[in-house]
Amino acid sequence: MTELPESCVLLIFGATGDLARRKLVPALFRLHAKGLLPPHFAVLGASRKPLSNEQFRAFMREACASFCENPPSDSDWASFAPCLYYEAGHFTDQTLFQRLNMSLREIDHRHQTQGNRLFYLATLPSSYPLLVKQLRDAEMINKVDDHPFTRLIVEKPFGRDLESAVALNNEIAGVFRENQVYRIDHYLGKETVQNILVLRFANAIFEPLWNRVHIDHVQITASETLGVEGRGAYYEETGVLRDMVQNHLLQVLSLVAMEPPLSFNADAIRDKKTEVFRAMRPLIGTTDVLASTIRGQYGESADGHLAAYRNEPAVDARSIVPTYVALRVFVDNWRWQGVPFYIRTGKRLCHSSTEVVIQFRQIPFCLFGQEQVCSRIEPNRLVLRIQPYEGISLGFGIKSPGNEAQVDYARMRFSYGHQYEGEMPLAYERLLTDAMRGYAALFARRDSVEEAWRFMTPILTAWGENPPTDFPNYAACTDGPEAADALIRGDGRTWHPLDPPIPSSS
């Protein structure tokens, strides 16, 4: 039986924004419908839009109807809506925080939430320092102990480079203890990402092979068919490296590469992840960066139906912001020395898929004589599909029927959708529950954030000093720039074709 979190109030700053509307409140409603929220729980929203409590509840019912797989039933919503409250105001206004403080006390009394608080910063990152300062000045934080607890949940992007990440960490550390801070990365809430650790450490057949002796290389791919979808101004400031690699994909890499922790204690896991970031071989100087990274930006599709990035709303007509990146990364430690990790991600590609491919080494000697047989023997591959159609596949050689020694390639497939009935939990369901429980394993710690930026910042610097001259260099609805194929082909390897969806059992 799942242990319910302690009673608490979740205060969401930016409560009428896209994140709260699309992800946070739908996740909370689904938890409520499953009976997984604490019995004494409430949400207090804060934003500039002038709404009453009733208007906020109606606004969020519309959001849940749009973004939950099954719209709320009248009975489920009737039991959830009374725990939603709202205060309107500007974050620069100290009187807003005085009113929030009063509302929290009233909610404590009405819902018996015992003074436990979670503050969720679902706002622009530029607002984080101001909000932290306002919370401190309004004396809304218990920094002494955890009775009652106060926790801060911070959305990515967490800084723009190493310097800004350190500065933001220092601002937060002046108000909150590190163990009160939960830096959220929704990728880590996905079932298959969490399953990386279970697959490795609960199966004796995999962990002995999980090293440079048996693994040739690792590929991590996050391919999107979507463009910037009206977020041109945001993307012009961010680009693909900050948007996807520094947080999501490096976090996935750390789970694949980390050493076994002594326990599933949050800090034991985060210690091992930070060790991976510290062991990543730095790219030093322009020559090193340009030899190990490929940038891309999508142009118009061949049929003319999809616009080029430079023609998207709020995008500079001469923009040099990359929408695609491929990197070759090395983790310099005993387990992984010499094993390349290839990362690629991009927008407006021909497939939408996120997956990790563990490619094992080729057989050392072919027993089957005929050259044409031996040349067809593919290496074993373990594919972890993170989204969509979450699952795992393992490829291996078999003999095909007949008198001759013909070697074929077969795959065993596991699908979450086939194995388990019902909807897959949303990433934010797991992460919000863990934050309420005080379990921080799936949240980034200060040192790991800064180590990841320490690796990424020289890339951003070299790119800034050497702007691309060939953008756009891939058409929308293709596999990305040819240079990305050349990067991995130059090492005698090829990108693994994106795993096809596992057919529905129906």
Side-chain angles (χ1 to χ4, degrees):
M1 183 175 177
T2 303
E3 180 183 350
L4 295 181
E6 288 185 67
S7 303
C8 59
V9 181
L10 175 63
L11 171 48
I12 302 174
F13 291 101
T16 58
D18 265 6
L19 177 63
R21 193 169 61 90
R22 292 172 175 266
K23 301 293 185 182
L24 301 184
V25 175
L28 291 168
F29 173 74
R30 283 167 54 112
L31 288 170
H32 167 78
K34 297 172 186 176
L36 296 177
L37 284 178
H40 304 293
F41 174 78
V43 175
L44 176 57
S47 196
R48 283 183 292 180
K49 184 175 288 189
L51 297 174
S52 66
N53 287 335
E54 288 305 319
Q55 288 172 323
F56 180 63
R57 290 164 183 167
F59 182 70
M60 286 307 170
R61 178 161 191 174
E62 290 176 9
C64 290
S66 298
F67 300 109
C68 289
E69 192 166 325
N70 296 312
S73 67
D74 289 343
S75 59
D76 281 341
W77 188 258
S79 57
F80 179 68
C83 78
L84 300 179
Y85 298 87
Y86 185 79
E87 286 287 349
H90 199 281
F91 300 152
T92 58
D93 183 3
Q94 183 60 35
T95 63
L96 167 64
F97 291 81
Q98 293 168 4
R99 286 184 279 112
L100 288 172
N101 229 344
M102 290 177 59
S103 292
L104 287 171
R105 293 192 188 102
E106 292 172 5
I107 291 169
D108 276 340
H109 178 73
R110 185 175 298 128
H111 292 271
Q112 302 174 47
T113 46
Q114 302 174 26
N116 292 320
R117 311 270 189 267
L118 288 96
F119 301 119
Y120 201 121
L121 307 188
T123 66
L124 292 173
S126 57
S127 299
Y128 295 170
L130 169 65
L131 286 166
V132 167
K133 177 179 179 296
Q134 293 281 49
L135 289 169
R136 179 199 64 198
D137 292 347
E139 299 181 346
M140 298 172 69
I141 300 163
N142 177 12
K143 194 176 179 181
V144 177
D145 56 34
D146 291 324
H147 305 287
F149 67 71
T150 304
R151 296 173 190 145
L152 180 74
I153 306 175
V154 186
E155 271 286 338
K156 67 98 177 173
F158 201 85
R160 290 183 48 79
D161 52 23
L162 178 58
E163 182 181 4
S164 61
V166 170
L168 182 54
N169 275 327
N170 287 339
E171 293 263 13
I172 291 175
V175 180
F176 290 89
R177 305 191 312 273
E178 176 60 27
N179 65 0
Q180 293 178 299
V181 182
Y182 291 70
R183 298 173 187 83
I184 202 164
D185 184 337
H186 74 268
Y187 255 55
L188 296 184
K190 296 179 183 295
E191 288 290 332
T192 314
V193 173
Q194 298 170 48
N195 197 42
I196 293 172
L197 295 183
V198 176
L199 186 77
R200 287 186 58 188
F201 303 130
N203 295 287
I205 62 172
F206 292 125
E207 183 56 24
L209 308 180
W210 212 267
N211 55 56
R212 61 185 177 83
V213 177
H214 301 286
I215 292 176
D216 178 78
H217 71 278
V218 177
Q219 297 182 23
I220 301 173
T221 297
S223 169
E224 297 182 78
T225 55
L226 297 175
V228 292
E229 303 304 301
R231 298 189 308 151
Y234 163 80
Y235 213 80
E236 282 287 278
E237 289 291 319
T238 307
V240 67
L241 210 61
R242 293 185 177 99
D243 187 48
M244 286 294 295
V245 180
Q246 185 276 332
N247 39 67
H248 301 329
L249 301 187
L250 287 191
Q251 289 289 334
V252 172
L253 184 152
S254 72
L255 293 174
V256 173
M258 65 185 271
E259 293 298 314
L262 292 176
S263 72
F264 254 49
N265 170 276
D267 275 331
I269 293 173
R270 298 198 292 180
D271 286 345
K272 296 303 180 183
K273 289 169 60 179
T274 302
E275 287 176 6
V276 173
F277 295 134
R278 288 181 179 142
M280 289 170 64
R281 185 185 301 172
L283 300 177
I284 302 172
T286 298
T287 301
D288 205 7
V289 169
L290 296 184
S292 299
T293 68
I294 299 297
R295 290 170 282 180
Q297 186 191 89
Y298 65 83
E300 185 180 68
S301 61
D303 61 10
H305 290 160
L306 298 174
Y309 174 72
R310 291 176 174 180
N311 292 330
E312 299 276 12
V315 170
D316 190 320
R318 293 175 294 179
S319 175
I320 56 172
V321 171
T323 62
Y324 178 101
V325 64
L327 303 91
R328 178 178 52 231
V329 177
F330 288 94
V331 177
D332 287 339
N333 62 16
W334 189 273
R335 182 183 291 264
W336 295 110
Q337 189 65 39
V339 176
F341 288 73
Y342 297 99
I343 298 173
R344 59 174 171 164
T345 182
K347 290 191 172 294
R348 279 285 186 242
L349 300 176
C350 57
H351 298 288
S352 183
S353 180
T354 302
E355 63 186 35
V356 177
V357 178
I358 311 296
Q359 180 154 318
F360 293 91
R361 293 192 181 277
Q362 283 279 12
I363 55 173
F365 175 72
C366 182
L367 299 173
F368 307 105
Q370 302 175 38
E371 183 177 337
Q372 63 270 29
V373 173
C374 296
S375 65
R376 289 202 302 269
I377 298 178
E378 296 187 42
N380 302 112
R381 295 187 190 92
L382 180 65
V383 180
L384 313 177
R385 188 173 179 115
I386 294 171
Q387 64 180 19
Y389 310 108
E390 296 89 340
I392 301 167
S393 72
L394 177 65
F396 51 92
I398 61 167
K399 180 188 177 299
S400 59
N403 294 328
E404 302 298 326
Q406 298 290 337
V407 179
D408 204 351
Y409 193 74
R411 302 180 81 176
M412 291 191 299
R413 297 172 182 260
F414 159 76
S415 164
Y416 269 94
H418 290 176
Q419 182 82 5
Y420 301 102
E421 295 181 1
E423 299 174 342
M424 289 287 288
L426 300 173
Y428 277 96
E429 290 181 48
R430 171 65 188 269
L431 295 170
L432 287 166
T433 303
D434 279 1
M436 286 185 258
R437 292 168 53 214
Y439 183 64
L442 299 181
F443 297 85
R445 200 169 60 190
R446 172 176 183 159
D447 54 355
S448 70
V449 169
E450 293 178 6
E451 291 297 337
W453 275 121
R454 201 178 309 280
F455 175 79
M456 299 300 296
T457 298
I459 301 175
L460 292 166
T461 301
W463 283 5
E465 293 171 353
N466 297 270
T469 58
D470 61 346
F471 278 8
N473 60 355
Y474 70 97
C477 204
T478 63
D479 285 331
E482 166 60 28
D485 294 330
L487 173 72
I488 192 169
R489 194 167 54 237
D491 294 340
R493 301 178 175 96
T494 58
W495 293 111
H496 179 254
L498 291 175
D499 218 21
I502 298 172
S504 169
S505 58
S506 61

